[in-house]
mmCIF file with all atom_site columns, all heavy atoms in Angstrom:
data_model
loop_
_atom_site.group_PDB
_atom_site.id
_atom_site.type_symbol
_atom_site.label_atom_id
_atom_site.label_alt_id
_atom_site.label_comp_id
_atom_site.label_asym_id
_atom_site.label_entity_id
_atom_site.label_seq_id
_atom_site.pdbx_PDB_ins_code
_atom_site.Cartn_x
_atom_site.Cartn_y
_atom_site.Cartn_z
_atom_site.occupancy
_atom_site.B_iso_or_equiv
_atom_site.pdbx_formal_charge
_atom_site.auth_seq_id
_atom_site.auth_comp_id
_atom_site.auth_asym_id
_atom_site.auth_atom_id
_atom_site.pdbx_PDB_model_num
ATOM 1   N N   . ALA A 1 20  ? 173.330 78.072 72.488  1.00 48.00 ? 57  ALA A N   1
ATOM 2   C CA  . ALA A 1 20  ? 172.174 78.372 73.340  1.00 48.00 ? 57  ALA A CA  1
ATOM 3   C C   . ALA A 1 20  ? 171.235 77.228 73.437  1.00 48.00 ? 57  ALA A C   1
ATOM 4   O O   . ALA A 1 20  ? 170.652 76.951 74.472  1.00 48.00 ? 57  ALA A O   1
ATOM 5   C CB  . ALA A 1 20  ? 171.456 79.582 72.835  1.00 48.00 ? 57  ALA A CB  1
ATOM 6   N N   . GLU A 1 22  ? 171.952 74.113 73.335  1.00 49.00 ? 59  GLU A N   1
ATOM 7   C CA  . GLU A 1 22  ? 172.563 73.021 74.076  1.00 49.00 ? 59  GLU A CA  1
ATOM 8   C C   . GLU A 1 22  ? 172.502 73.297 75.600  1.00 49.00 ? 59  GLU A C   1
ATOM 9   O O   . GLU A 1 22  ? 172.297 72.473 76.379  1.00 49.00 ? 59  GLU A O   1
ATOM 10  C CB  . GLU A 1 22  ? 174.053 72.829 73.708  1.00 49.00 ? 59  GLU A CB  1
ATOM 11  C CG  . GLU A 1 22  ? 174.159 72.316 72.247  1.00 49.00 ? 59  GLU A CG  1
ATOM 12  C CD  . GLU A 1 22  ? 175.607 72.160 71.877  1.00 49.00 ? 59  GLU A CD  1
ATOM 13  O OE1 . GLU A 1 22  ? 176.515 72.663 72.643  1.00 49.00 ? 59  GLU A OE1 1
ATOM 14  O OE2 . GLU A 1 22  ? 175.886 71.727 70.724  1.00 49.00 ? 59  GLU A OE2 1
ATOM 15  N N   . ALA A 1 28  ? 159.426 72.570 81.450  1.00 48.00 ? 65  ALA A N   1
ATOM 16  C CA  . ALA A 1 28  ? 158.776 71.195 81.610  1.00 48.00 ? 65  ALA A CA  1
ATOM 17  C C   . ALA A 1 28  ? 157.517 71.084 80.900  1.00 48.00 ? 65  ALA A C   1
ATOM 18  O O   . ALA A 1 28  ? 157.217 69.963 80.399  1.00 48.00 ? 65  ALA A O   1
ATOM 19  C CB  . ALA A 1 28  ? 158.522 71.052 83.180  1.00 48.00 ? 65  ALA A CB  1
ATOM 20  N N   . SER A 1 44  ? 151.378 51.313 81.605  1.00 61.00 ? 81  SER A N   1
ATOM 21  C CA  . SER A 1 44  ? 150.157 50.600 81.392  1.00 61.00 ? 81  SER A CA  1
ATOM 22  C C   . SER A 1 44  ? 150.223 49.125 81.556  1.00 61.00 ? 81  SER A C   1
ATOM 23  O O   . SER A 1 44  ? 149.437 48.506 82.129  1.00 61.00 ? 81  SER A O   1
ATOM 24  C CB  . SER A 1 44  ? 149.626 50.908 79.946  1.00 61.00 ? 81  SER A CB  1
ATOM 25  O OG  . SER A 1 44  ? 149.384 52.287 79.741  1.00 61.00 ? 81  SER A OG  1
ATOM 26  N N   . ARG A 1 51  ? 146.565 44.123 87.956  1.00 58.00 ? 88  ARG A N   1
ATOM 27  C CA  . ARG A 1 51  ? 145.179 43.659 87.877  1.00 58.00 ? 88  ARG A CA  1
ATOM 28  C C   . ARG A 1 51  ? 145.167 42.144 87.688  1.00 58.00 ? 88  ARG A C   1
ATOM 29  O O   . ARG A 1 51  ? 144.352 41.472 88.273  1.00 58.00 ? 88  ARG A O   1
ATOM 30  C CB  . ARG A 1 51  ? 144.474 44.295 86.708  1.00 58.00 ? 88  ARG A CB  1
ATOM 31  C CG  . ARG A 1 51  ? 144.086 45.767 87.026  1.00 58.00 ? 88  ARG A CG  1
ATOM 32  C CD  . ARG A 1 51  ? 142.986 46.260 86.068  1.00 58.00 ? 88  ARG A CD  1
ATOM 33  N NE  . ARG A 1 51  ? 143.456 46.280 84.666  1.00 58.00 ? 88  ARG A NE  1
ATOM 34  C CZ  . ARG A 1 51  ? 144.031 47.368 84.057  1.00 58.00 ? 88  ARG A CZ  1
ATOM 35  N NH1 . ARG A 1 51  ? 144.168 48.509 84.785  1.00 58.00 ? 88  ARG A NH1 1
ATOM 36  N NH2 . ARG A 1 51  ? 144.418 47.270 82.879  1.00 58.00 ? 88  ARG A NH2 1
ATOM 37  N N   . GLY A 1 54  ? 145.576 40.185 90.835  1.00 53.00 ? 91  GLY A N   1
ATOM 38  C CA  . GLY A 1 54  ? 144.530 40.124 91.803  1.00 53.00 ? 91  GLY A CA  1
ATOM 39  C C   . GLY A 1 54  ? 144.343 41.476 92.432  1.00 53.00 ? 91  GLY A C   1
ATOM 40  O O   . GLY A 1 54  ? 145.230 42.288 92.574  1.00 53.00 ? 91  GLY A O   1
ATOM 41  N N   . SER A 1 79  ? 148.136 33.914 87.898  1.00 89.00 ? 116 SER A N   1
ATOM 42  C CA  . SER A 1 79  ? 149.373 34.161 87.208  1.00 89.00 ? 116 SER A CA  1
ATOM 43  C C   . SER A 1 79  ? 150.020 32.874 86.750  1.00 89.00 ? 116 SER A C   1
ATOM 44  O O   . SER A 1 79  ? 150.875 32.889 85.807  1.00 89.00 ? 116 SER A O   1
ATOM 45  C CB  . SER A 1 79  ? 150.436 34.859 88.139  1.00 89.00 ? 116 SER A CB  1
ATOM 46  O OG  . SER A 1 79  ? 150.527 34.180 89.365  1.00 89.00 ? 116 SER A OG  1
ATOM 47  N N   . LYS A 1 86  ? 142.559 28.985 81.456  1.00 91.00 ? 123 LYS A N   1
ATOM 48  C CA  . LYS A 1 86  ? 141.725 30.145 81.605  1.00 91.00 ? 123 LYS A CA  1
ATOM 49  C C   . LYS A 1 86  ? 140.402 30.054 80.837  1.00 91.00 ? 123 LYS A C   1
ATOM 50  O O   . LYS A 1 86  ? 139.331 30.341 81.222  1.00 91.00 ? 123 LYS A O   1
ATOM 51  C CB  . LYS A 1 86  ? 142.442 31.442 81.264  1.00 91.00 ? 123 LYS A CB  1
ATOM 52  C CG  . LYS A 1 86  ? 143.444 31.902 82.233  1.00 91.00 ? 123 LYS A CG  1
ATOM 53  C CD  . LYS A 1 86  ? 144.088 33.206 81.934  1.00 91.00 ? 123 LYS A CD  1
ATOM 54  C CE  . LYS A 1 86  ? 145.047 33.689 82.962  1.00 91.00 ? 123 LYS A CE  1
ATOM 55  N NZ  . LYS A 1 86  ? 145.650 34.990 82.623  1.00 91.00 ? 123 LYS A NZ  1
ATOM 56  N N   . GLY A 1 96  ? 123.729 25.891 84.304  1.00 97.00 ? 133 GLY A N   1
ATOM 57  C CA  . GLY A 1 96  ? 122.723 25.069 84.910  1.00 97.00 ? 133 GLY A CA  1
ATOM 58  C C   . GLY A 1 96  ? 121.255 25.721 84.841  1.00 97.00 ? 133 GLY A C   1
ATOM 59  O O   . GLY A 1 96  ? 120.365 25.226 85.550  1.00 97.00 ? 133 GLY A O   1
ATOM 60  N N   . ARG A 1 100 ? 113.047 30.312 79.537  1.00 96.00 ? 137 ARG A N   1
ATOM 61  C CA  . ARG A 1 100 ? 111.989 29.717 78.696  1.00 96.00 ? 137 ARG A CA  1
ATOM 62  C C   . ARG A 1 100 ? 110.706 30.516 78.810  1.00 96.00 ? 137 ARG A C   1
ATOM 63  O O   . ARG A 1 100 ? 110.503 31.254 79.801  1.00 96.00 ? 137 ARG A O   1
ATOM 64  C CB  . ARG A 1 100 ? 111.707 28.266 79.070  1.00 96.00 ? 137 ARG A CB  1
ATOM 65  C CG  . ARG A 1 100 ? 112.893 27.385 79.037  1.00 96.00 ? 137 ARG A CG  1
ATOM 66  C CD  . ARG A 1 100 ? 112.515 25.988 79.533  1.00 96.00 ? 137 ARG A CD  1
ATOM 67  N NE  . ARG A 1 100 ? 113.736 25.134 79.822  1.00 96.00 ? 137 ARG A NE  1
ATOM 68  C CZ  . ARG A 1 100 ? 113.621 23.943 80.340  1.00 96.00 ? 137 ARG A CZ  1
ATOM 69  N NH1 . ARG A 1 100 ? 112.456 23.456 80.715  1.00 96.00 ? 137 ARG A NH1 1
ATOM 70  N NH2 . ARG A 1 100 ? 114.773 23.245 80.563  1.00 96.00 ? 137 ARG A NH2 1
ATOM 71  N N   . VAL A 1 102 ? 106.829 30.799 79.553  1.00 95.00 ? 139 VAL A N   1
ATOM 72  C CA  . VAL A 1 102 ? 105.922 30.055 80.298  1.00 95.00 ? 139 VAL A CA  1
ATOM 73  C C   . VAL A 1 102 ? 104.730 29.779 79.530  1.00 95.00 ? 139 VAL A C   1
ATOM 74  O O   . VAL A 1 102 ? 104.100 30.695 78.986  1.00 95.00 ? 139 VAL A O   1
ATOM 75  C CB  . VAL A 1 102 ? 105.532 30.947 81.532  1.00 95.00 ? 139 VAL A CB  1
ATOM 76  C CG1 . VAL A 1 102 ? 104.473 30.136 82.417  1.00 95.00 ? 139 VAL A CG1 1
ATOM 77  C CG2 . VAL A 1 102 ? 106.722 31.240 82.424  1.00 95.00 ? 139 VAL A CG2 1
ATOM 78  N N   . THR A 1 103 ? 104.378 28.515 79.352  1.00 94.00 ? 140 THR A N   1
ATOM 79  C CA  . THR A 1 103 ? 103.279 28.052 78.465  1.00 94.00 ? 140 THR A CA  1
ATOM 80  C C   . THR A 1 103 ? 102.023 27.570 79.259  1.00 94.00 ? 140 THR A C   1
ATOM 81  O O   . THR A 1 103 ? 100.971 27.350 78.639  1.00 94.00 ? 140 THR A O   1
ATOM 82  C CB  . THR A 1 103 ? 103.746 26.971 77.498  1.00 94.00 ? 140 THR A CB  1
ATOM 83  O OG1 . THR A 1 103 ? 104.268 25.802 78.310  1.00 94.00 ? 140 THR A OG1 1
ATOM 84  C CG2 . THR A 1 103 ? 104.844 27.480 76.601  1.00 94.00 ? 140 THR A CG2 1
ATOM 85  N N   . TYR A 1 130 ? 123.395 37.864 91.233  1.00 95.00 ? 167 TYR A N   1
ATOM 86  C CA  . TYR A 1 130 ? 122.413 38.779 90.610  1.00 95.00 ? 167 TYR A CA  1
ATOM 87  C C   . TYR A 1 130 ? 123.138 40.003 90.189  1.00 95.00 ? 167 TYR A C   1
ATOM 88  O O   . TYR A 1 130 ? 123.563 40.745 91.016  1.00 95.00 ? 167 TYR A O   1
ATOM 89  C CB  . TYR A 1 130 ? 121.289 39.112 91.599  1.00 95.00 ? 167 TYR A CB  1
ATOM 90  C CG  . TYR A 1 130 ? 120.219 39.955 91.045  1.00 95.00 ? 167 TYR A CG  1
ATOM 91  C CD1 . TYR A 1 130 ? 119.214 39.327 90.279  1.00 95.00 ? 167 TYR A CD1 1
ATOM 92  C CD2 . TYR A 1 130 ? 120.090 41.261 91.407  1.00 95.00 ? 167 TYR A CD2 1
ATOM 93  C CE1 . TYR A 1 130 ? 118.190 40.177 89.750  1.00 95.00 ? 167 TYR A CE1 1
ATOM 94  C CE2 . TYR A 1 130 ? 119.077 42.102 90.907  1.00 95.00 ? 167 TYR A CE2 1
ATOM 95  C CZ  . TYR A 1 130 ? 118.158 41.500 90.084  1.00 95.00 ? 167 TYR A CZ  1
ATOM 96  O OH  . TYR A 1 130 ? 117.112 42.261 89.576  1.00 95.00 ? 167 TYR A OH  1
ATOM 97  N N   . GLY A 1 137 ? 122.180 54.573 97.362  1.00 77.00 ? 174 GLY A N   1
ATOM 98  C CA  . GLY A 1 137 ? 121.076 54.332 98.317  1.00 77.00 ? 174 GLY A CA  1
ATOM 99  C C   . GLY A 1 137 ? 119.800 55.003 97.991  1.00 77.00 ? 174 GLY A C   1
ATOM 100 O O   . GLY A 1 137 ? 119.826 56.117 97.374  1.00 77.00 ? 174 GLY A O   1
ATOM 101 N N   . TRP A 1 148 ? 122.479 44.908 101.280 1.00 83.00 ? 185 TRP A N   1
ATOM 102 C CA  . TRP A 1 148 ? 122.480 44.646 102.767 1.00 83.00 ? 185 TRP A CA  1
ATOM 103 C C   . TRP A 1 148 ? 121.148 43.932 103.072 1.00 83.00 ? 185 TRP A C   1
ATOM 104 O O   . TRP A 1 148 ? 120.117 44.240 102.514 1.00 83.00 ? 185 TRP A O   1
ATOM 105 C CB  . TRP A 1 148 ? 122.493 46.004 103.526 1.00 83.00 ? 185 TRP A CB  1
ATOM 106 C CG  . TRP A 1 148 ? 123.868 46.504 103.752 1.00 83.00 ? 185 TRP A CG  1
ATOM 107 C CD1 . TRP A 1 148 ? 124.636 46.467 104.875 1.00 83.00 ? 185 TRP A CD1 1
ATOM 108 C CD2 . TRP A 1 148 ? 124.638 47.259 102.789 1.00 83.00 ? 185 TRP A CD2 1
ATOM 109 N NE1 . TRP A 1 148 ? 125.843 47.032 104.723 1.00 83.00 ? 185 TRP A NE1 1
ATOM 110 C CE2 . TRP A 1 148 ? 125.887 47.591 103.450 1.00 83.00 ? 185 TRP A CE2 1
ATOM 111 C CE3 . TRP A 1 148 ? 124.509 47.700 101.507 1.00 83.00 ? 185 TRP A CE3 1
ATOM 112 C CZ2 . TRP A 1 148 ? 126.891 48.332 102.828 1.00 83.00 ? 185 TRP A CZ2 1
ATOM 113 C CZ3 . TRP A 1 148 ? 125.415 48.447 100.886 1.00 83.00 ? 185 TRP A CZ3 1
ATOM 114 C CH2 . TRP A 1 148 ? 126.685 48.679 101.520 1.00 83.00 ? 185 TRP A CH2 1
ATOM 115 N N   . SER A 1 154 ? 117.195 50.801 107.311 1.00 66.00 ? 191 SER A N   1
ATOM 116 C CA  . SER A 1 154 ? 118.323 51.496 106.772 1.00 66.00 ? 191 SER A CA  1
ATOM 117 C C   . SER A 1 154 ? 118.961 50.720 105.526 1.00 66.00 ? 191 SER A C   1
ATOM 118 O O   . SER A 1 154 ? 119.607 51.280 104.745 1.00 66.00 ? 191 SER A O   1
ATOM 119 C CB  . SER A 1 154 ? 119.433 51.700 107.764 1.00 66.00 ? 191 SER A CB  1
ATOM 120 O OG  . SER A 1 154 ? 119.889 50.496 108.351 1.00 66.00 ? 191 SER A OG  1
ATOM 121 N N   . MET A 1 172 ? 115.295 36.856 85.421  1.00 93.00 ? 209 MET A N   1
ATOM 122 C CA  . MET A 1 172 ? 114.107 36.284 84.854  1.00 93.00 ? 209 MET A CA  1
ATOM 123 C C   . MET A 1 172 ? 113.290 35.444 85.869  1.00 93.00 ? 209 MET A C   1
ATOM 124 O O   . MET A 1 172 ? 112.318 34.850 85.448  1.00 93.00 ? 209 MET A O   1
ATOM 125 C CB  . MET A 1 172 ? 114.540 35.383 83.672  1.00 93.00 ? 209 MET A CB  1
ATOM 126 C CG  . MET A 1 172 ? 115.223 36.131 82.550  1.00 93.00 ? 209 MET A CG  1
ATOM 127 S SD  . MET A 1 172 ? 114.138 37.392 81.787  1.00 93.00 ? 209 MET A SD  1
ATOM 128 C CE  . MET A 1 172 ? 115.235 38.018 80.489  1.00 93.00 ? 209 MET A CE  1
ATOM 129 N N   . GLY A 1 184 ? 105.689 27.840 98.008  1.00 94.00 ? 221 GLY A N   1
ATOM 130 C CA  . GLY A 1 184 ? 106.596 28.833 98.477  1.00 94.00 ? 221 GLY A CA  1
ATOM 131 C C   . GLY A 1 184 ? 107.797 28.941 97.586  1.00 94.00 ? 221 GLY A C   1
ATOM 132 O O   . GLY A 1 184 ? 107.848 28.205 96.598  1.00 94.00 ? 221 GLY A O   1
ATOM 133 N N   . VAL A 1 203 ? 120.391 31.580 96.049  1.00 96.00 ? 240 VAL A N   1
ATOM 134 C CA  . VAL A 1 203 ? 120.774 30.215 96.548  1.00 96.00 ? 240 VAL A CA  1
ATOM 135 C C   . VAL A 1 203 ? 119.525 29.349 96.583  1.00 96.00 ? 240 VAL A C   1
ATOM 136 O O   . VAL A 1 203 ? 118.399 29.845 96.996  1.00 96.00 ? 240 VAL A O   1
ATOM 137 C CB  . VAL A 1 203 ? 121.316 30.372 97.918  1.00 96.00 ? 240 VAL A CB  1
ATOM 138 C CG1 . VAL A 1 203 ? 121.734 28.975 98.480  1.00 96.00 ? 240 VAL A CG1 1
ATOM 139 C CG2 . VAL A 1 203 ? 122.629 31.289 97.914  1.00 96.00 ? 240 VAL A CG2 1
ATOM 140 N N   . PRO A 1 207 ? 115.458 21.328 97.162  1.00 97.00 ? 244 PRO A N   1
ATOM 141 C CA  . PRO A 1 207 ? 115.991 20.579 95.972  1.00 97.00 ? 244 PRO A CA  1
ATOM 142 C C   . PRO A 1 207 ? 115.181 20.972 94.717  1.00 97.00 ? 244 PRO A C   1
ATOM 143 O O   . PRO A 1 207 ? 113.992 21.077 94.731  1.00 97.00 ? 244 PRO A O   1
ATOM 144 C CB  . PRO A 1 207 ? 115.674 19.080 96.359  1.00 97.00 ? 244 PRO A CB  1
ATOM 145 C CG  . PRO A 1 207 ? 115.596 19.122 97.831  1.00 97.00 ? 244 PRO A CG  1
ATOM 146 C CD  . PRO A 1 207 ? 114.960 20.407 98.171  1.00 97.00 ? 244 PRO A CD  1
ATOM 147 N N   . GLU A 1 220 ? 107.761 41.565 100.758 1.00 70.00 ? 257 GLU A N   1
ATOM 148 C CA  . GLU A 1 220 ? 106.629 42.494 101.205 1.00 70.00 ? 257 GLU A CA  1
ATOM 149 C C   . GLU A 1 220 ? 106.715 43.861 100.620 1.00 70.00 ? 257 GLU A C   1
ATOM 150 O O   . GLU A 1 220 ? 105.701 44.491 100.259 1.00 70.00 ? 257 GLU A O   1
ATOM 151 C CB  . GLU A 1 220 ? 106.661 42.512 102.741 1.00 70.00 ? 257 GLU A CB  1
ATOM 152 C CG  . GLU A 1 220 ? 105.469 43.112 103.408 1.00 70.00 ? 257 GLU A CG  1
ATOM 153 C CD  . GLU A 1 220 ? 105.522 43.069 104.874 1.00 70.00 ? 257 GLU A CD  1
ATOM 154 O OE1 . GLU A 1 220 ? 106.076 42.115 105.489 1.00 70.00 ? 257 GLU A OE1 1
ATOM 155 O OE2 . GLU A 1 220 ? 105.095 44.019 105.507 1.00 70.00 ? 257 GLU A OE2 1
ATOM 156 N N   . ASP A 1 231 ? 96.337  50.173 92.590  1.00 54.00 ? 268 ASP A N   1
ATOM 157 C CA  . ASP A 1 231 ? 95.093  50.459 93.335  1.00 54.00 ? 268 ASP A CA  1
ATOM 158 C C   . ASP A 1 231 ? 94.243  49.275 93.606  1.00 54.00 ? 268 ASP A C   1
ATOM 159 O O   . ASP A 1 231 ? 93.327  48.955 92.752  1.00 54.00 ? 268 ASP A O   1
ATOM 160 C CB  . ASP A 1 231 ? 94.325  51.582 92.556  1.00 54.00 ? 268 ASP A CB  1
ATOM 161 C CG  . ASP A 1 231 ? 93.204  52.103 93.384  1.00 54.00 ? 268 ASP A CG  1
ATOM 162 O OD1 . ASP A 1 231 ? 93.175  51.926 94.633  1.00 54.00 ? 268 ASP A OD1 1
ATOM 163 O OD2 . ASP A 1 231 ? 92.265  52.788 92.834  1.00 54.00 ? 268 ASP A OD2 1
ATOM 164 N N   . GLU A 1 247 ? 112.528 42.091 94.005  1.00 41.00 ? 284 GLU A N   1
ATOM 165 C CA  . GLU A 1 247 ? 112.597 41.646 95.429  1.00 41.00 ? 284 GLU A CA  1
ATOM 166 C C   . GLU A 1 247 ? 112.593 42.801 96.389  1.00 41.00 ? 284 GLU A C   1
ATOM 167 O O   . GLU A 1 247 ? 112.057 42.652 97.555  1.00 41.00 ? 284 GLU A O   1
ATOM 168 C CB  . GLU A 1 247 ? 113.853 40.863 95.621  1.00 41.00 ? 284 GLU A CB  1
ATOM 169 C CG  . GLU A 1 247 ? 114.040 40.252 97.002  1.00 41.00 ? 284 GLU A CG  1
ATOM 170 C CD  . GLU A 1 247 ? 115.081 40.856 97.770  1.00 41.00 ? 284 GLU A CD  1
ATOM 171 O OE1 . GLU A 1 247 ? 115.694 41.799 97.356  1.00 41.00 ? 284 GLU A OE1 1
ATOM 172 O OE2 . GLU A 1 247 ? 115.273 40.408 98.917  1.00 41.00 ? 284 GLU A OE2 1
#
Side-chain angles (χ1 to χ4, degrees):
E59 292 175 357
S81 300
R88 286 197 295 268
S116 60
K123 284 185 179 179
R137 303 178 193 173
V139 179
T140 57
Y167 183 78
W185 276 260
S191 57
M209 300 295 180
V240 180
E257 190 176 324
D268 191 16
E284 186 250 1

